[in-house]
Amino acid sequence: MTDAAEPTRTNFIRQIVEADLAAGTHDRVVTRFPPEPNGYLHIGHAKSIALNFGLAESLGGQCNLRFDDTNPHKENVEFVEAIKTDVRWLGFEWGGQARFASDYFERLYGFAVELIEQGLAYVCELDAEQMREYRGTLTEPGRPSPWRDRTVAENLELFARMRAGEFPDGSRTLRARIDMAAPNINLRDPVLYRIKHGVIHHQTGDAWCLYPTYDFTHPLSDAIEGVTHSLCTLEFEDHRPLYDWCVEHVSVPSRPRQIEFSRLNLEYTVTSKRKLTELVAEGHVDGWDDPRMPTIAGLRRRGYTPAALREFCERIGVTKSENRVEMAMLESAIRDDLDAHAPRRMAVLRPLKVVLTNYPEDEVLNISAANHPKDESMGSREIPFGRELYIDRADFAEVPPKGFKRLVPGGEVRLRNAYVIRCDEVVKDAAGEVVELRASIDPATLGCKPEGRKVKGVIHWVAAAHAVAAEVRLYDRLFRVAMPGAEGQDYRDDINPDSLEVLVDCMLEPSLGGAQPGERFQFEREGYFVVDPDSTAQRPVFNRTVGLRDSWGKGNG
């Protein structure tokens, strides 16, 4: 996936792993990426994917893709397949087959039995509310469950009956027997198993009604797979003692090392799975792949490239310090990538017709234009030029503001790659709306500067007779503030009402008529755009990926 010529950028995790390899602690690095299949991956996951897969790949190791599928109420195959697609799209491949925590359910059950046999786990009958009450607080120790001292034989029998489905949901749990006075609340006899009836698991069907918790499943799955370094975000730092406790007290084949790093907090977004699910379910967006969503699928549909996302992850780095990343950094990464690789095209998003009165009616001139001004290897294309053109309404002003350098009555402007024209007449409808301009060309200015005068403005255009009609969707940031839902308010109140503008009468140069979904272009003077999957041969649809420059620093955010 990566270019071997690229310099390796280091971070504290890479230094730890390299030191372990140098010391002979491990002869090969094995990492894992363990998403729960209860939604689509988002930009925060991209950071974790780039770290886990990229680190293993660069050090000649292996990264496993393992689905943490222990909560089947919220999981399904759609999410499993979407996650696989996203990982591969980012440029990575996992070691062997995709794995599932459910692959290990029988072994995990056996590990739980081992804990019971050692007196380190017991069946508890406290309900969730009672358990919270017994757990204590940060300043007060917890109280032991009334069932904490059951015999090993009684716990084994009850645990087997839990598996057999004899008890209703919430009536029994299996808890670790650790320390109800531990300063770390995660060690105060955490739940290891809970009962969930009536669920058809996407991998195991109805074989189980007893499901292990994440804190039990995760470390033991890592150990089963021979993971050497388990890389987690900082919210799992307080769970590390429990991770180590689980691994230490059962007969797993290896001892992984958990290392935490800061999660990605990106401005103008939410990355909580709960909130993203609400945005989809409540219709604030048009699905998980809506181009305004911070999901990888949404970013892909928006026109982001795998290279840009990987570069963004490299730029923000891997640290232990929590921070909030500016959206401008993400947008800069895609601008830099598309500036280098996106072919240039002309597209008039808000058309205004211009009739060139001194140009022959039936004459079509094919003008050669470079596909990229800085990359000759991308070649050129022919653009037809005729008597009737479209320019953008924003490029004409009857009463121009100060500093306006585009077309005005009696004024001149250069058409990109073509002639200098002068606006001679403004045509309006009955309501006083400008509907057409009458202009004339200076025939001597095709590819040449006009004699004796300086024309400052250059605007884009499309020949009316050859234009391709298209829909263009102007996507912007989904939220109007950098920190949606700050200070306890509803994050939905911060949704940007102008996050999408749909233009249905856009006119594009003819070379864009055959563009395929996923192809990316720079619309000159407008921004970067991608062909949407909704496109048809009869009606192309383009999504704006990002503007040519950051405009949010000018009072928009």
Side-chain angles (χ1 to χ4, degrees):
M1 182 278 307
T2 53
D3 184 347
E6 291 179 2
T8 300
R9 304 182 193 181
T10 193
N11 55 63
F12 80 97
I13 291 179
R14 171 179 282 274
Q15 292 167 357
I16 290 172
V17 174
E18 288 177 336
D20 283 348
L21 292 172
T25 306
H26 306 287
D27 57 11
R28 182 169 181 258
V29 61
V30 179
T31 60
R32 83 292 167 268
F33 175 61
E36 183 179 357
N38 64 349
Y40 281 55
L41 299 182
H42 55 65
I43 184 67
H45 293 115
K47 176 181 177 179
S48 182
I49 291 169
L51 174 60
N52 279 285
F53 282 91
L55 179 66
E57 181 184 79
S58 66
L59 295 176
Q62 172 179 308
C63 182
N64 298 338
L65 173 63
R66 182 180 71 242
F67 292 95
D68 169 32
D69 55 345
T70 62
N71 191 18
H73 283 287
K74 299 180 179 180
E75 301 164 356
N76 63 52
V77 174
E78 175 193 351
F79 297 140
V80 170
E81 295 306 316
I83 289 168
K84 290 180 181 178
T85 296
D86 288 347
V87 172
R88 286 188 167 124
W89 178 77
L90 281 170
F92 299 104
E93 191 59 56
W94 47 90
Q97 297 294 315
R99 297 161 168 84
F100 295 84
S102 56
D103 296 340
Y104 313 130
F105 276 1
E106 197 65 53
R107 292 185 71 176
L108 294 173
Y109 182 86
F111 291 144
V113 169
E114 286 185 32
L115 292 176
I116 293 173
E117 290 174 338
Q118 297 175 72
L120 295 176
Y122 62 96
V123 174
C124 180
E125 297 180 33
L126 294 177
D127 62 27
E129 185 176 342
Q130 291 169 327
M131 208 174 294
R132 281 192 293 271
E133 179 186 342
Y134 273 66
R135 184 165 288 140
T137 67
L138 293 173
T139 57
E140 296 179 355
R143 292 179 287 146
S145 163
W147 292 276
R148 195 173 195 264
D149 294 323
R150 276 177 160 147
T151 66
V152 169
E154 187 179 6
N155 282 316
L156 288 173
E157 178 195 0
L158 288 169
F159 192 48
R161 291 172 64 190
M162 288 168 63
R163 175 174 180 171
E166 294 186 25
F167 305 115
D169 291 7
S171 63
R172 305 284 193 285
T173 58
L174 183 73
R175 297 176 65 182
R177 195 173 190 273
I178 306 179
D179 182 2
M180 288 304 296
N184 186 333
I185 291 181
N186 292 297
L187 296 178
R188 294 183 187 177
D189 291 13
V191 172
L192 306 180
Y193 271 87
R194 69 274 202 222
I195 301 168
K196 291 179 179 289
H197 284 287
V199 182
I200 302 300
H201 191 284
H202 55 89
Q203 297 295 314
T204 62
D206 60 358
W208 292 85
C209 64
L210 187 63
Y211 290 92
T213 60
Y214 177 87
D215 278 338
F216 183 67
T217 304
H218 183 70
L220 300 182
S221 298
D222 283 351
I224 289 170
E225 295 177 5
V227 169
T228 58
H229 299 84
S230 180
L231 312 181
C232 304
T233 46
L234 279 175
E235 64 263 34
F236 293 101
E237 187 170 29
D238 288 342
H239 294 249
R240 194 198 321 155
L242 179 55
Y243 182 105
D244 293 337
W245 185 91
C246 290
V247 170
E248 289 168 5
H249 289 94
V250 297
S251 56
V252 288
S254 69
R255 295 282 297 274
R257 177 179 182 180
Q258 178 173 306
I259 308 171
E260 303 85 19
F261 61 95
S262 62
R263 65 182 297 161
L264 171 57
N265 297 306
L266 184 65
E267 289 183 345
Y268 297 95
T269 62
V270 295
T271 52
S272 155
K273 282 274 190 76
R274 175 184 63 81
K275 292 177 180 178
L276 294 177
T277 301
E278 288 172 350
L279 288 172
V280 173
E282 296 171 7
H284 300 290
V285 293
D286 298 322
W288 286 94
D289 67 343
D290 186 300
R292 293 166 292 180
M293 288 280 274
T295 56
I296 295 175
L299 292 166
R300 178 167 59 245
R301 191 169 180 181
R302 179 81 171 249
Y304 276 76
T305 63
L309 292 185
R310 294 196 305 267
E311 174 60 22
F312 169 67
C313 292
E314 287 282 5
R315 290 181 185 181
I316 62 177
V318 178
T319 70
K320 294 277 280 191
S321 302
E322 290 283 14
N323 64 330
R324 184 167 290 272
V325 177
E326 294 181 357
M327 177 63 79
M329 287 190 66
L330 176 61
E331 294 173 342
S332 174
I334 187 60
R335 277 196 197 95
D336 290 348
D337 187 28
L338 294 181
D339 178 58
H341 300 109
R344 274 44 171 175
R345 296 291 185 265
M346 290 198 291
V348 176
L349 304 189
R350 298 173 178 85
L352 174 61
K353 180 174 280 191
V354 178
V355 178
L356 303 175
T357 56
N358 66 336
Y359 193 88
E361 287 190 27
D362 298 325
E363 183 174 319
V364 177
L365 173 67
N366 286 315
I367 297 175
S368 179
N371 287 326
H372 197 293
K374 303 173 188 175
D375 188 349
E376 293 183 0
S377 68
M378 294 182 71
S380 61
R381 82 275 189 197
E382 298 290 308
I383 305 173
F385 181 90
R387 177 183 173 87
E388 295 186 355
L389 310 173
Y390 291 114
I391 67 170
D392 198 280
R393 285 190 172 273
D395 285 334
F396 171 77
E398 194 171 14
V399 181
K402 184 178 180 181
F404 191 76
K405 295 181 180 180
R406 285 159 280 173
L407 196 59
V408 299
E412 290 185 319
V413 72
R414 175 174 289 282
L415 298 178
R416 185 148 180 79
N417 299 304
Y419 299 95
V420 170
I421 65 170
R422 182 184 69 244
C423 179
D424 301 317
E425 182 183 352
V426 178
V427 180
K428 300 181 181 181
D429 62 15
E433 180 78 16
V434 176
V435 294
E436 186 179 295
L437 303 179
R438 302 287 173 83
S440 54
I441 67 166
D442 182 340
T445 57
L446 181 62
C448 303
K449 293 182 179 180
E451 291 289 336
R453 63 194 190 279
K454 187 174 183 180
V455 177
K456 295 182 179 180
V458 180
I459 64 174
H460 60 285
W461 54 274
V462 173
H466 302 86
V468 173
E471 176 180 312
V472 174
R473 300 169 183 174
L474 301 179
Y475 288 100
D476 208 335
R477 299 177 184 181
L478 182 57
F479 293 95
R480 56 185 175 82
V481 298
M483 298 178 65
E487 300 179 0
Q489 63 188 25
D490 191 331
Y491 73 97
R492 286 165 288 206
D493 293 339
D494 293 324
I495 290 176
N496 177 13
D498 301 318
S499 63
L500 172 60
E501 181 182 3
V502 179
L503 305 178
V504 296
D505 296 315
C506 303
M507 296 296 171
L508 317 182
E509 68 169 78
S511 65
L512 289 168
Q516 298 300 305
E519 287 192 79
R520 304 171 184 90
F521 302 90
Q522 184 197 98
F523 289 178
E524 297 197 35
R525 302 178 64 235
E526 293 287 356
Y528 296 98
F529 292 77
V530 65
V531 185
D532 188 83
D534 287 344
S535 279
T536 66
Q538 296 73 32
R539 188 72 172 177
V541 178
F542 287 81
N543 299 331
R544 181 172 64 188
T545 304
V546 68
L548 293 177
R549 59 189 61 84
D550 180 15
S551 63
W552 274 76
K554 300 177 180 179
N556 291 341

